[in-house]
């Protein structure tokens, strides 16, 4: 065989190897799309910081005992693992990935400039590896809607906007140049309250991002669940009510002035800060069987299948918990504290 033919064969072999490598790299690095009904986290959790998120039998949470670093555990708080070193919130899960807002690092820099370089919307696998920034921005609430992330984005020039980006970091779009809370998502629709001329109930159809007013009312922080919109009623001193989308009827659930609330299955947990008896309370989602969970002022009410987590207002730790569906018995989230201590040794 001539030397020229040998050279051509060698070149062809190298080219074929490179082609195979490029094809494999493309498919290995490709992010699978989600089904339309994929929801990153419950609206109630996201409206309370999105510090806990349950997916496929695993709870992902921001550990307040470790500067809100990303951790995972079983719903019964066993097998706690530290997944990251950065401060996270608005945790979402879908497919093989986690999505969250990262506010800052725990080391490597301090100050507003450092915050500006690290704050943004991030994606990682469910082990906390292969972290990628999807957009650097200040944000509050992020919701995974199918294969898109809808999120509030803030900067000094444009103020608060609603943006969306595909989970593979493509198709970044500004949906609205004003504030929209994307937390409540179901069946291709985002339900939100007006922030401009009124507080009507609006929908955002994620198939074409069209926005419509569907009910003229005084709604705040709407949460869709099983045909009802649960909301803080501005016309009733921020009491909780629910609106039936199908029957167009309203039920007052409590006249307590509500600061925060979370709806999970057939329970509602809410904080009321009345002058005489501030307390965290719970009731059935029809307003019946009202109970006091803990006296005092609490925030960050996040719910998983086993526990409800919360903390005193402006006091990140200790984190308290009680059974989601069982009898009320408030204790502290000691497993998270012990895991944080173990990881700082």
């Amino acid at each position: 065989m001539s030397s020229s033919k040998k050279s051509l064969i060698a070149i062809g072999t190298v080219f074929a190897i490179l082609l195979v490598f490029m094809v494999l790299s493309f498919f290995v690095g490709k992010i699978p799309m989600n089904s339309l009904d994929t929801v990153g986290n419950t609206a109630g959790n996201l409206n309370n910081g999105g510090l806990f998120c349950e997916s496929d039998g695993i709870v992902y949470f921001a550990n307040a005992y470790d500067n809100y670093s990303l951790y995972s555990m079983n719903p019964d708080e066993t097998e706690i693992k530290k997944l990251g070193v950065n401060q996270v919130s608005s945790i979402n899960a879908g497919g093989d990935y986690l999505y969250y807002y990262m506010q800052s690092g725990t080391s490597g820099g301090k100050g507003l400039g450092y915050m500006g370089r690290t704050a943004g919307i991030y994606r990682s696998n469910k082990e906390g590896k292969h972290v990628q920034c999807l957009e650097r921005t200040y944000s509050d609430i992020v919701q995974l809607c199918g294969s898109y992330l809808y999120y509030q984005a803030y900067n000094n020039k444009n103020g608060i906007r609603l943006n969306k980006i595909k989970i593979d970091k493509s198709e970044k779009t500004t949906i609205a140049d004003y504030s929209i809370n994307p937390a409540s998502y179901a069946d291709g629709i985002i339900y939100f309250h007006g922030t401009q001329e009124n507080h009507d109930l609006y929908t955002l159809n994620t198939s074409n991002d069209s926005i419509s007013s569907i009910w003229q009312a005084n709604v705040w922080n709407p949460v869709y669940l099983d045909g009802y919109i649960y909301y803080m009623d501005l016309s009733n001193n921020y009491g909780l009510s629910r609106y039936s989308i199908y029957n167009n009827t309203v039920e007052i659930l409590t006249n307590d002035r509500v600061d925060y609330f979370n709806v999970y299955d057939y329970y509602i947990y809410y904080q009321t800060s009345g002058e005489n008896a501030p307390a965290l309370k719970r009731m059935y989602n029809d307003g019946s069987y009202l109970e006091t969970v803990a006296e005092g002022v609490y925030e960050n009410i996040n719910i998983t299948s086993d526990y409800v987590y919360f903390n005193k207002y402006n006091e990140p730790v200790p984190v308290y918990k009680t059974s989601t569906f069982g009898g009320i018995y408030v204790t502290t989230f000691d497993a998270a504290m012990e895991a944080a201590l173990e990881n700082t040794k």
Side-chain angles (χ1 to χ4, degrees):
M1 183 182 295
S2 66
S3 59
S4 61
K5 287 184 177 180
K6 289 181 180 180
S7 298
L8 288 173
I9 292 173
I11 293 171
T13 302
V14 171
F15 179 78
I17 293 172
L18 288 173
L19 182 61
V20 170
F21 178 77
M22 290 172 63
V23 171
L24 288 174
S25 297
F26 173 78
F27 284 105
V28 169
K30 192 174 179 63
I31 305 298
M33 296 296 106
N34 299 321
S35 61
L36 180 64
D37 61 356
T38 299
V39 183
N41 201 345
T42 65
N45 282 354
L46 292 175
N47 285 333
N48 284 272
L51 303 180
F52 288 76
C53 175
E54 187 167 352
S55 175
D56 297 327
I58 300 295
V59 174
Y60 303 92
F61 68 101
N63 192 343
Y65 294 97
D66 191 5
N67 195 39
Y68 293 100
S69 297
L70 182 63
Y71 280 65
S72 69
M73 64 179 177
N74 294 325
D76 64 359
E77 300 180 352
T78 58
E79 298 186 28
I80 296 184
K81 302 175 185 177
K82 184 171 182 176
L83 305 183
V85 298
N86 294 315
Q87 184 178 346
V88 299
S89 61
S90 215
I91 302 169
N92 285 250
D96 297 327
Y97 295 93
L98 300 176
Y99 306 86
Y100 45 83
Y101 174 60
M102 191 179 79
Q103 301 175 65
S104 66
T106 57
S107 62
K110 296 181 179 179
L112 185 58
Y114 178 73
M115 281 280 290
R117 290 192 296 273
T118 61
I121 313 300
Y122 285 78
R123 183 191 70 222
S124 73
N125 66 20
K126 287 187 172 179
E127 296 299 319
K129 309 297 184 183
H130 306 296
V131 179
Q132 182 176 16
C133 180
L134 303 181
E135 185 187 358
R136 297 195 186 281
T137 182
Y138 292 101
S139 185
D140 186 12
I141 294 178
V142 181
Q143 176 63 286
L144 176 64
C145 307
S147 296
Y148 290 88
L149 293 162
Y150 285 75
Y151 57 97
Q152 295 172 323
Y154 172 81
N155 61 48
N156 291 331
K157 179 180 178 181
N158 299 317
I160 300 178
R161 297 185 168 202
L162 180 70
N163 286 355
K164 80 169 184 179
I165 193 168
K166 207 167 189 179
I167 57 176
D168 62 2
K169 202 179 176 180
S170 65
E171 300 183 29
K172 177 188 168 184
T173 308
T174 295
I175 304 302
D177 60 359
Y178 53 89
S179 176
I180 289 178
N181 180 346
S184 186
Y185 173 72
D187 302 320
I189 301 295
I190 293 173
Y191 298 87
F192 66 97
H193 62 257
T195 58
Q196 302 302 293
E197 298 177 355
N198 55 61
H199 299 304
D200 291 353
L201 178 64
Y202 286 82
T203 58
L204 190 159
N205 188 329
T206 59
S207 66
N208 56 16
D209 293 327
S210 61
I211 294 174
S212 304
S213 173
I214 65 168
W215 184 44
Q216 295 181 350
N218 243 340
V219 173
W220 197 258
N221 278 357
V223 171
Y224 174 87
L225 182 65
D226 297 334
Y228 287 99
I229 295 292
Y230 296 84
Y231 65 98
M232 295 161 66
D233 189 348
L234 304 188
S235 297
N236 187 32
N237 193 35
Y238 289 83
L240 274 181
S241 297
R242 71 175 182 179
Y243 167 69
S244 171
I245 289 179
Y246 303 118
N247 298 327
N248 196 32
T249 55
V250 175
E251 298 171 77
I252 295 175
L253 304 178
T254 178
N255 290 313
D256 288 341
R257 182 182 173 90
V258 173
D259 298 318
Y260 314 100
F261 77 98
N262 198 334
V263 184
Y264 192 94
D265 203 346
Y266 56 82
Y267 265 124
I268 299 174
Y269 286 78
Y270 71 91
Q271 171 66 41
T272 179
S273 295
E275 295 181 3
N276 297 323
L280 177 63
K281 298 182 179 182
R282 79 174 183 186
M283 61 185 175
Y284 287 157
N285 59 19
D286 62 359
S288 64
Y289 199 57
L290 180 64
E291 301 174 281
T292 295
V293 176
E295 295 180 350
V297 182
Y298 299 90
E299 62 179 349
N300 296 326
I301 309 165
N302 279 243
I303 305 180
T304 69
S305 57
D306 282 16
Y307 293 106
V308 180
Y309 298 92
F310 50 95
N311 58 271
K312 288 185 178 180
Y313 183 73
N314 273 344
E315 296 181 22
V317 293
V319 177
Y320 298 95
K321 66 174 186 177
T322 190
S323 172
T324 300
F325 298 107
I328 295 172
Y329 179 64
V330 177
T331 58
T332 51
F333 189 10
D334 292 340
M337 178 180 64
E338 291 165 4
L341 291 173
E342 184 67 26
N343 280 289
T344 55
K345 286 181 179 179

